[in-house]
């Protein structure tokens, strides 16, 4: 037993790269591309909230009842791939694990995610789960992206990045992903969401120790390289020390 503990203690922990940012900033696509080129894993935290909402809907759990949602978390098993094509699997007591990758992206689920994410205790448990996933990944590093990643989920990560862009640029990017909506409609939606987010999170000013990457004037490749450069700089500094 002592030998096992000693061996684990000496294992190299994955380098954690925490990336925050508003919708349309490019954080999801840029994070994934940067992770692949670095040989790291990518952890999409939003998928867990979607999967939990899906599980609540499937089991008839009251999404607005924090105790009920926490009870559901005692009965589920969550798994997500960190490399390659993303696959999300959910297991519930008494049932075989189910691949819910496409299901959690359906509109019927997306519209319910905020009902589970609003519970502080649920967020706390998922945040702990995210760190456990990273610690047990066996990878040299993991890029973890989502909301509140640099300040709440992984405030001690060696690399913390706030990726942002102007509302106009983000609207242009999002409009291409939302057929049927005009640029003006998407911009209005983004500005409304920014105003709501501003009540609880600051996507404009990085917290102390967080590096700001403004992608307004960067194309995709430049944005990916900016992240890689930041990671490499931290790795280089660590090697020297």
């Amino acid at each position: 037993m002592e030998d096992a503990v000693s061996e684990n203690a000496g294992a190299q922990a994955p380098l954690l790269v925490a990336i925050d940012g508003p919708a349309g900033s490019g954080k999801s696509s840029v994070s994934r591309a940067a992770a692949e080129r670095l040989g790291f894993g990518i952890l999409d935290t939003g998928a867990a909230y979607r999967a939990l909402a899906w599980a609540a809907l499937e089991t008839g759990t009251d999404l607005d009842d924090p105790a009920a949602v926490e009870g559901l978390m005692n009965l589920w098993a969550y798994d997500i791939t960190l490399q390659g094509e993303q696959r999300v699997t959910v297991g519930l007591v008494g049932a075989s694990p189910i691949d819910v990758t496409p299901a959690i992206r359906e509109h019927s689920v997306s519209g319910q995610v905020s009902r589970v994410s609003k519970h502080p205790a649920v967020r706390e448990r998922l945040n702990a789960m995210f760190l456990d996933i990273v610690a047990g990944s066996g990878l040299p590093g993991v890029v973890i992206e989502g909301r509140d990643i640099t300040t709440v989920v992984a405030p001690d990560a060696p690399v913390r990045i706030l990726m942002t862009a102007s509302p106009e640029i983000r609207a242009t990017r999002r409009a291409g992903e939302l057929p049927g909506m005009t640029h003006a409609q998407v911009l209005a939606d983004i500005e409304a969401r920014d105003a709501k987010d501003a009540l609880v999170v600051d996507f404009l000013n990085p917290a102390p120790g967080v590096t700001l990457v403004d992608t307004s004037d960067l194309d995709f490749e430049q944005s990916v390289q900016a992240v890689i450069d930041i990671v490499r700089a931290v790795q280089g500094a660590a090697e020297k020390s």
Side-chain angles (χ1 to χ4, degrees):
M1 178 66 72
E2 290 182 0
D3 289 343
V5 171
S6 177
E7 182 178 340
N8 288 335
Q12 182 69 40
L15 176 66
L16 182 53
V17 180
I19 301 183
D20 265 330
S25 61
K27 71 176 185 299
S28 296
S29 55
V30 169
S31 294
R32 181 166 293 278
E36 290 176 353
R37 297 180 196 183
L38 288 163
F40 289 5
I42 174 71
L43 179 57
D44 167 14
T45 59
Y49 287 97
R50 288 174 173 273
L52 184 58
W54 174 88
L57 293 170
E58 284 292 304
T59 57
T61 302
D62 184 353
L63 286 79
D64 297 312
D65 182 345
V69 177
E70 280 199 82
L72 173 62
M73 295 179 75
N74 293 331
L75 305 175
W76 85 326
Y78 177 79
D79 186 61
I80 184 171
T81 53
L82 298 182
Q83 293 187 309
E85 182 181 1
Q86 184 185 91
R87 308 305 302 179
V88 178
T89 305
V90 170
L92 296 171
V93 172
S96 300
I98 301 173
D99 184 338
V100 298
T101 307
I104 64 173
R105 303 294 172 181
E106 293 179 1
H107 181 70
S108 59
V109 173
S110 298
Q112 305 303 317
V113 174
S114 62
R115 294 175 64 190
V116 297
S117 66
K118 68 183 179 182
H119 304 307
V122 170
R123 296 186 69 88
E124 193 172 307
R125 288 183 59 169
L126 285 181
N127 290 344
M129 182 187 79
F130 297 145
L131 296 180
D132 286 342
I133 290 173
V134 171
S137 68
L139 295 170
V142 176
V143 177
I144 179 170
E145 63 95 357
R147 297 170 63 83
D148 300 333
I149 302 301
T150 62
T151 55
V152 178
V153 181
D156 299 321
V159 182
R160 293 185 295 153
I161 297 170
L162 174 62
M163 188 173 297
T164 189
S166 68
E168 292 76 13
I169 294 295
R170 288 190 281 131
T172 298
R173 294 170 180 168
R174 293 285 289 172
E177 304 169 0
L178 301 170
M181 292 186 67
T182 66
H183 180 276
Q185 289 173 319
V186 177
L187 177 58
D189 182 62
I190 281 178
E191 290 178 333
R193 181 170 176 175
D194 283 354
K196 183 178 180 180
D197 285 344
L199 299 175
V200 293
V201 64
D202 188 350
F203 278 140
L204 297 177
N205 304 296
V210 177
T211 302
L212 178 67
V213 174
D214 189 332
T215 65
S216 298
D217 298 320
L218 302 179
D219 61 22
F220 180 74
E221 289 298 324
Q222 291 171 327
S223 299
V224 173
Q225 192 59 51
V227 171
I228 292 175
D229 289 345
I230 293 168
V231 174
R232 292 299 191 202
V234 170
Q235 288 178 316
E239 290 173 359
K240 289 180 180 179
S241 63

